[in-house]
Amino acid sequence: MSATMAEKKHAAYICSGCELGARLDVATLVKTATKEGKMQLVREHAFLCSAEGVAMIQNDIDNEGVTHAAICACSRRAKTEAFNFSTTAISRGNLREGVIWVRPDTEEARETTQEMAEDYVRMACAEVKAMTVPSGNPNVGGSKTLLVVGGGVSGMTSALEAAKAGYKVVLVEKTGALGGWAAQNYKRVPTREPFKDPEDTGVADMVSRIAADANITVYLNATVTKTAGAPGRFKADITVESGSTVTEDVGAIIQASGFTLYDANKLPHLGYGASPDVVDQAGLEALAKAANGGAIKRPSDGKEVKSVVFVQCAGQRDASGEHLEYCSGYCCNVSVKQAMYFKDANPDVDTVVLYTDLRLPGNGEDFYRSAQNKGVIFSKGVVSTVAASGNGLTVNFKDLILNEDTQAQADLVVLATGSVPTSGPDLDALNAAVVASESKDADIKAEADLQVEKLRAKSVLNLSYRQGPDIPHFKHGFNDSHFICFPYETRRTAIYAAGPVRRPMDMVQAREDATGAAMKAIQAVENAGLGKAAHPRAGDLSFPTARLEGCTQCKRCTVECPFGAIDEDEKRFPLFNESRCRRCGTCMGACPVRVISFENYSVNTVGAQVKAINVPDEFENKPRILILACENDAYPALDMAGMNRHDYSAFVRVIPVRCLGSVNTIWITDALNSGFDGIMLMGCKHGEQYQCHFVKGSELGRYRLSKVGDTLKGMGLEPERVFDTEVAITDIVTLPQRINDYAAQLEAMGPSPMKGF
Amino acid sequence: MSVNNTEMAVRYKNNFLKELEDQAEMGEWIKMCMQCGVCAGSCPTNFHPGWDHPPQEIFMMVRAGRREEVLTSNSMWMCTSCYNCYVRCPRKLPITHIMHGIANYAHRLGVAPKLQPTRNFGKIFWNNAAKTGRVNEVMLTVDLYFRNAEGKFDLMGGIKKALEMQSVAIGLVKAGRLNPLELFGGHKCKDQKGLQSMLKKARELEETRKALKAA
């Protein structure tokens, strides 16, 4: 509101609490804010975050017309509740964690510490003047219904949990019944004490609870044939078997499309296909269901099974690249369970599990012990072949403990083949096929068309996003998700992946996953309804806008946006889809003509801070190092270094950025031009084990910034003047050391030749 | 009382694990081994060249049904009863006791390695101590030293070994830990009759128990 007011009034507040007054010359800071920061109103307070201090600021806002306030006290991460003035643009000068806590309290350090504080006051003043109060995304979404795609254990759990929280759910299942793989099981791995025996799958109970829940609408034999729109206002076309289509308005989507078993036909050396008595785990479940607690009979001749061998890691953990590279995680527990089917029906049945490593997540160790007690034999061995012999099967394996090739006889062999996600087409492959289908060569075109059709047929969501119809894959074809910190988050805002489509998992994990995804989806629809950002800047009201008259239609922003939030309008200008936007600012960093900005974060808000820093001339022997630190990991790490009183160089000036991806190269050139000796870029780990909160942000930022070498060369500067370093939030001790090492390196290089120009 | 090896082998056909579960003390624990190898890694005699198989391997061989190899192995006899494996086993298997149980069963079957030093010493020690309730150190040494690798009396070998160890012996005598006069009869515990009837009763109880299992 005040942002729209014509009259702007800038104020600075300088706190002298927390020893700031003792360590710094606050009177000079007041002068700096007034003279250099050009603040119309500057106040000093001994305890600014106290009720009295906050009331003083509020009074200035209410009665003195203050619209912009630079609060120079502690880190922007501290006292956020006290300094929360929603109608006022606020910047924070970090004098505590950023200055006095990282500097020694000695007489010789006093001068440089004071200079540091003065710069942070200048920066806070410059930043706030370039800011406006964000007004929120006007394109709010109204729908609070969740769409759950997939009616297995994950999907049913999401639906039930969301319904329990009071939200409407549309549940789409492609087969004729709910339950997924779990419904095909005879029993499941135990979920409660004492974890000794297989237990009921619980599927029937879930199905009946769903049927009885008025909040849940179920579509069976149905697929999602089109998903358009944005968080809070998706339109999902649901096509049922008869061909008729219903369009549902939904606010968020949970993709719980599950998995299929790895095709055992690809394992002929293990006897699959050659003998009907070699089955996969689903095949054994079917036999156990038919036996219903009685003796399990083998498929070939109906003879009661007297000996069974379970082959673990069949087509899994394969280093040759022919089969699955990964471990599916649940199959060991399943084999333990299936061996118990035999032992529980008849203790005299020989059951042997051949494994290389038994991996039993959850309470599987207890279950394993119980199986050993029941007489299931576990042998460490690698199976080479399974062959028919006489009236049974011979399993040839290498005993890894006794280090010898040996064999076992069995009536039945069960292969633990693992899971393959139903995660839709690989978007990179699809894009490549689409490009190839534009070929002039008729043969190439025909083949590519076929490929496009084949890949499109695999789509789960059929999103009408320019980035492709589904969530991107990450590793081994599983849907991308932020596997470390926010497991269900995908790169498509308000679309969450849950269950084995995200990574291999068992039913217990899938239920947890599905519950988490439901909670995230609820958060997303609520934030979308208020025009606020979703995770990780949840609640942020700012959104990107572009000054289109300056746009060159280079498409860098549309391509780089990690979340597919930028489309093109009919004139090929970027069209922001604010609801999909996660506010990382990667578009802003990418824009070569710098026309993209947020109300509270822009090329100017950071650029003005860079320019506000006082750079001493080369004779003063006081280098200046600019640190652009990711606000998610690097900045908190620096704050924590301060809290732990780990000193670092007085010559650094830190500016937090939303993501390394939002760093615009103009800041680098500006800083170097104004005589900075070096620039440190601190972003999250990227690549396969990425920790970037915006998934691709730090990677894109790094790629872009790797090109500044040319700029440096053009300016006659050494490439070491820009230093990129990966920072994790835990680098509290090592980060100050890295800063000091870099400062020493710069000192050895001598001052930047750009000083004084 | 010994049990018949062939009879047992026939009775349990190829289920050696079951045989040990029934016949060997603590044998019912073998199936609970999870092959982590902590026992093997913890064993102080692990690198001793005379050691055929660490416990983990013995257990795996039991499961694989390698009956003769296990029973005639010297591995169980190499155990020094330090209890390192017992304490460290994450599955809480009483490994030391299992090893002794298998060793004892092999002994009862009469297939244990004949002159395995531990077994040999055990026998000599028991016979010596059970006579009077006190160990006659001199006679124990004589029984131990004056035998060759085949178990036959060997005068020259005994003298040679005794000379090798003479400084130790003199040290023990000086410290009052060894009385050379015991060569002519050692000390005894007080109630000789009571001791013998106690040992007889213990043997009876043990044999009844094992006979029940073997029946």
Side-chain angles (χ1 to χ4, degrees):
Chain A
M1 275 140 279
S2 49
T4 56
M5 277 163 46
E7 200 92 356
K8 281 188 189 172
K9 186 163 183 179
H10 302 128
Y13 298 91
I14 296 165
C15 182
S16 57
C18 292
E19 285 206 329
L20 285 167
R23 297 281 308 275
L24 301 170
D25 177 358
V26 175
T28 308
L29 296 180
V30 170
K31 215 183 286 168
T32 307
T34 320
K35 293 259 171 63
E36 295 176 60
K38 305 222 164 39
M39 296 282 112
Q40 287 134 292
L41 179 74
V42 182
R43 291 193 203 275
E44 183 193 330
H45 197 280
F47 190 178
L48 196 58
C49 59
S50 66
E52 191 200 315
V54 171
M56 176 184 82
I57 301 173
Q58 192 62 53
N59 183 55
D60 286 348
I61 294 166
D62 295 341
N63 303 316
E64 302 284 333
V66 168
T67 57
H68 292 62
I71 294 172
C72 303
C74 42
S75 164
R76 60 170 62 192
R77 298 178 52 81
K79 304 288 173 196
T80 47
E81 267 134 57
F83 301 132
N84 177 22
F85 307 101
S86 59
T87 57
T88 311
I90 302 284
S91 71
R92 301 280 296 268
N94 189 358
L95 304 181
R96 192 178 67 171
E97 288 87 342
V99 182
I100 63 163
W101 282 358
V102 292
R103 298 299 306 147
D105 187 9
T106 58
E107 206 42 55
E108 62 264 19
R110 213 173 160 81
E111 181 189 322
T112 49
T113 307
Q114 175 71 18
E115 285 172 0
M116 215 175 176
E118 285 170 24
D119 267 344
Y120 279 118
V121 170
R122 289 185 195 105
M123 287 154 76
C125 297
E127 184 187 8
V128 80
K129 283 194 283 185
M131 284 167 77
T132 46
V133 180
S135 54
N137 169 16
N139 295 320
V140 297
S143 173
K144 297 204 171 161
T145 305
L146 309 187
L147 171 66
V148 177
V149 184
V153 163
S154 314
M156 291 196 295
T157 307
S158 283
L160 284 167
E161 294 294 336
K164 222 192 282 176
Y167 289 80
K168 292 210 174 299
V169 177
V170 175
L171 180 57
V172 177
E173 165 58 37
K174 72 177 171 197
T175 71
L178 294 176
W181 284 105
Q184 295 175 39
N185 285 357
Y186 168 54
K187 281 184 177 174
R188 59 169 302 184
V189 173
T191 56
R192 53 184 84 83
E193 279 287 340
F195 304 101
K196 281 192 171 155
D197 303 292
E199 65 182 39
D200 183 75
T201 59
V203 168
D205 170 59
M206 289 178 98
V207 172
S208 66
R209 272 156 63 206
I210 286 173
D213 200 316
N215 273 337
I216 307 174
T217 314
V218 180
Y219 290 92
L220 294 177
N221 296 311
T223 51
V224 178
T225 42
K226 189 185 169 192
T227 309
R233 49 192 167 86
F234 286 112
K235 289 204 175 293
D237 288 359
I238 297 159
T239 306
V240 292
E241 213 176 8
S242 64
S244 66
T245 297
V246 188
T247 303
E248 292 272 6
D249 289 307
V250 295
I253 300 168
I254 295 165
Q255 182 179 332
S257 44
F259 67 99
T260 51
L261 289 185
Y262 183 66
D263 186 2
N265 286 308
K266 292 179 184 164
L267 306 165
H269 62 288
L270 298 180
Y272 195 86
S275 166
D277 296 333
V278 178
V279 296
D280 62 8
Q281 290 188 323
L284 196 271
E285 291 295 337
L287 294 177
K289 258 196 160 179
N292 195 25
I296 293 173
K297 301 190 174 80
R298 66 182 188 187
S300 60
D301 55 3
K303 172 186 170 289
E304 272 184 26
V305 175
K306 289 284 183 209
S307 55
V308 55
V309 171
F310 293 87
V311 179
Q312 298 309 107
C313 304
Q316 299 191 66
R317 301 173 67 200
D318 175 47
S320 74
E322 196 182 342
H323 304 294
L324 301 182
E325 225 181 291
Y326 53 88
C327 162
S328 293
Y330 67 87
C331 353
C332 284
N333 265 325
V334 169
S335 288
V336 170
K337 175 190 76 172
Q338 295 185 337
M340 277 196 199
Y341 290 167
F342 291 94
K343 282 289 183 191
D344 288 348
N346 176 7
D348 289 335
V349 176
D350 281 336
T351 50
V352 177
V353 179
L354 295 176
Y355 67 94
T356 48
D357 308 280
L358 275 178
R359 294 181 174 177
L360 303 142
N363 291 76
E365 285 294 330
D366 288 343
F367 195 40
Y368 168 32
R369 234 185 307 255
S370 168
Q372 286 182 305
N373 254 323
K374 289 180 183 186
V376 179
I377 302 283
F378 292 86
S379 278
K380 205 168 160 75
V382 182
V383 177
S384 50
T385 55
V386 177
S389 72
N391 189 26
L393 298 159
T394 300
V395 181
N396 296 302
F397 68 101
K398 183 183 174 102
D399 187 315
L400 293 176
I401 301 287
L402 305 178
N403 196 26
E404 61 177 16
D405 290 314
T406 180
Q407 39 185 230
Q409 303 299 320
D411 290 337
L412 187 76
V413 169
V414 185
L415 307 179
T417 53
S419 76
V420 178
T422 314
S423 52
D426 176 12
L427 297 187
D428 293 334
L430 180 60
N431 282 338
V434 168
V435 170
S437 71
E438 281 154 19
S439 166
K440 296 238 162 50
D441 185 319
D443 287 348
I444 294 174
K445 187 180 156 41
E447 200 184 312
D449 281 343
L450 206 68
Q451 181 70 359
V452 170
E453 199 182 322
K454 210 176 99 191
L455 288 169
R456 282 221 156 248
K458 283 165 78 176
S459 177
V460 177
L461 297 175
N462 284 298
L463 292 165
S464 51
Y465 281 29
R466 64 187 294 279
Q467 289 80 6
D470 286 274
I471 309 172
H473 292 179
F474 183 51
K475 218 173 160 183
H476 306 313
F478 288 90
N479 277 146
D480 189 9
S481 68
H482 195 293
F483 58 97
I484 297 174
C485 308
F486 331 101
Y488 334 106
E489 296 285 348
T490 71
R491 264 181 278 164
R492 299 291 176 259
T493 307
I495 303 178
Y496 299 90
V501 72
R502 191 173 77 66
R503 66 165 179 79
M505 61 176 79
D506 62 23
M507 267 193 249
V508 172
Q509 292 167 333
R511 280 183 197 218
E512 268 178 25
D513 223 49
T515 309
M519 298 303 115
K520 293 302 286 185
I522 288 170
Q523 219 178 42
V525 292
E526 289 298 339
N527 273 326
L530 297 167
K532 290 179 176 178
H535 166 90
R537 293 191 56 84
D540 186 358
L541 283 164
S542 73
F543 56 89
T545 49
R547 217 166 20 83
L548 292 185
E549 56 273 26
C551 173
T552 58
Q553 301 182 325
C554 73
K555 297 195 184 60
R556 287 259 280 273
C557 55
T558 51
V559 171
E560 288 203 10
C561 175
F563 302 101
I566 312 174
D567 283 328
E568 281 164 36
D569 68 9
E570 56 276 17
K571 290 184 200 143
R572 316 198 77 171
F573 282 118
L575 181 66
F576 290 97
N577 197 320
E578 298 85 2
S579 322
R580 290 186 205 162
C581 170
R582 301 277 258 276
R583 281 71 167 172
C584 59
T586 298
C587 51
M588 181 177 119
C591 182
V593 286
R594 301 181 292 282
V595 297
I596 300 173
S597 62
F598 297 79
E599 290 149 308
N600 54 3
Y601 183 62
S602 64
V603 171
N604 275 345
T605 59
V606 176
Q609 291 182 72
V610 173
K611 285 179 194 133
I613 299 165
N614 178 34
V615 181
D617 67 35
E618 61 207 279
F619 308 109
E620 281 189 56
N621 220 359
K622 285 175 181 169
R624 283 290 174 264
I625 305 161
L626 177 67
I627 295 183
L628 296 170
C630 160
E631 67 176 11
N632 296 298
D633 271 23
Y635 202 68
L638 287 167
D639 272 359
M640 284 188 277
M643 290 171 202
N644 289 293
R645 307 297 196 278
H646 298 308
D647 296 350
Y648 57 76
S649 166
F651 302 133
V652 303
R653 301 292 180 260
V654 184
I655 300 178
V657 294
R658 288 189 178 179
C659 177
L660 204 56
S662 73
V663 171
N664 196 297
T665 39
I666 190 73
W667 300 336
I668 313 277
T669 26
D670 275 2
L672 292 171
N673 271 324
S674 55
F676 274 86
D677 297 276
I679 300 172
M680 273 184 108
L681 302 164
M682 296 183 177
C684 301
K685 195 177 178 67
H686 72 280
E688 231 171 45
Q689 303 289 317
Y690 71 88
Q691 298 196 0
C692 176
H693 291 52
F694 300 104
V695 187
K696 289 274 165 193
S698 63
E699 189 173 331
L700 292 163
R702 287 216 164 86
Y703 179 74
R704 194 188 305 138
L705 295 165
S706 68
K707 309 282 183 205
V708 299
D710 293 340
T711 317
L712 288 166
K713 215 190 264 174
M715 296 165 90
L717 292 172
E718 302 86 338
E720 292 81 17
R721 299 253 179 220
V722 177
F723 174 50
D724 167 26
T725 182
E726 277 185 350
V727 179
I729 198 158
T730 46
D731 293 349
I732 300 160
V733 179
T734 56
L735 196 51
Q737 192 52 49
R738 267 189 267 173
I739 293 173
N740 291 339
D741 290 348
Y742 185 55
Q745 189 191 346
L746 288 175
E747 203 161 335
M749 279 167 68
S752 160
M754 306 298 292
K755 282 187 199 290
F757 281 101
Chain B
M1 192 185 89
S2 73
V3 267
N4 187 302
N5 183 30
T6 335
E7 196 186 289
M8 282 300 173
V10 171
R11 189 193 309 176
Y12 289 99
K13 267 178 276 166
N14 44 21
N15 202 336
F16 183 41
L17 175 63
K18 186 88 173 60
E19 179 179 348
L20 288 186
E21 282 181 359
D22 287 354
Q23 302 297 334
E25 249 179 271
M26 300 286 174
E28 68 277 12
W29 278 95
I30 297 171
K31 61 173 184 274
M32 299 308 288
C33 167
M34 64 174 187
Q35 296 297 326
C36 65
V38 166
C39 51
S42 308
C43 184
T45 66
N46 198 13
F47 302 106
H48 192 285
W51 177 268
D52 291 343
H53 311 285
Q56 169 205 17
E57 223 168 271
I58 286 283
F59 299 155
M60 196 69 181
M61 288 160 74
V62 171
R63 291 181 200 175
R66 285 158 63 162
R67 188 174 186 275
E68 288 313 304
E69 227 176 305
V70 171
L71 293 174
T72 58
S73 152
N74 69 0
S75 303
M76 298 82 77
W77 301 98
M78 297 299 287
C79 172
T80 63
S81 305
C82 75
Y83 283 85
N84 219 4
C85 53
Y86 187 119
V87 170
R88 288 186 179 174
C89 176
R91 279 301 190 78
K92 298 191 165 58
L93 267 71
I95 299 172
T96 314
H97 297 174
I98 304 170
M99 295 301 271
H100 295 172
I102 302 173
N104 182 267
Y105 183 56
H107 170 74
R108 276 155 53 214
L109 290 173
V111 294
K114 285 275 162 335
L115 291 162
Q116 205 283 332
T118 315
R119 184 174 179 236
N120 190 36
F121 179 77
K123 269 163 76 179
I124 294 170
F125 184 91
W126 177 253
N127 291 339
N128 184 315
K131 222 176 266 172
T132 63
R134 293 282 184 272
V135 174
N136 184 327
E137 301 262 5
V138 178
M139 286 316 290
L140 182 76
T141 314
V142 168
D143 281 347
L144 200 60
Y145 284 4
F146 290 82
R147 267 175 222 285
N148 65 11
E150 284 80 43
K152 297 271 161 43
F153 181 74
D154 176 6
L155 183 67
M156 290 321 287
I159 291 169
K160 203 175 154 219
K161 256 186 257 168
L163 286 173
E164 271 170 25
M165 298 298 285
Q166 81 178 300
S167 66
V168 175
I170 291 167
L172 284 170
V173 172
K174 275 186 185 160
R177 305 296 298 270
L178 185 70
N179 183 359
L181 293 175
E182 293 224 328
L183 188 60
F184 313 104
H187 57 306
K188 312 171 173 180
C189 68
K190 277 180 195 159
D191 183 3
Q192 282 293 303
K193 222 174 135 196
L195 171 76
Q196 291 311 327
S197 63
M198 182 184 82
L199 290 173
K200 191 168 164 247
K201 183 71 187 168
R203 203 171 290 123
E204 264 172 35
L205 287 172
E206 174 102 356
E207 279 177 8
T208 323
R209 190 162 56 84
K210 282 177 181 159
L212 269 175
K213 274 191 162 185

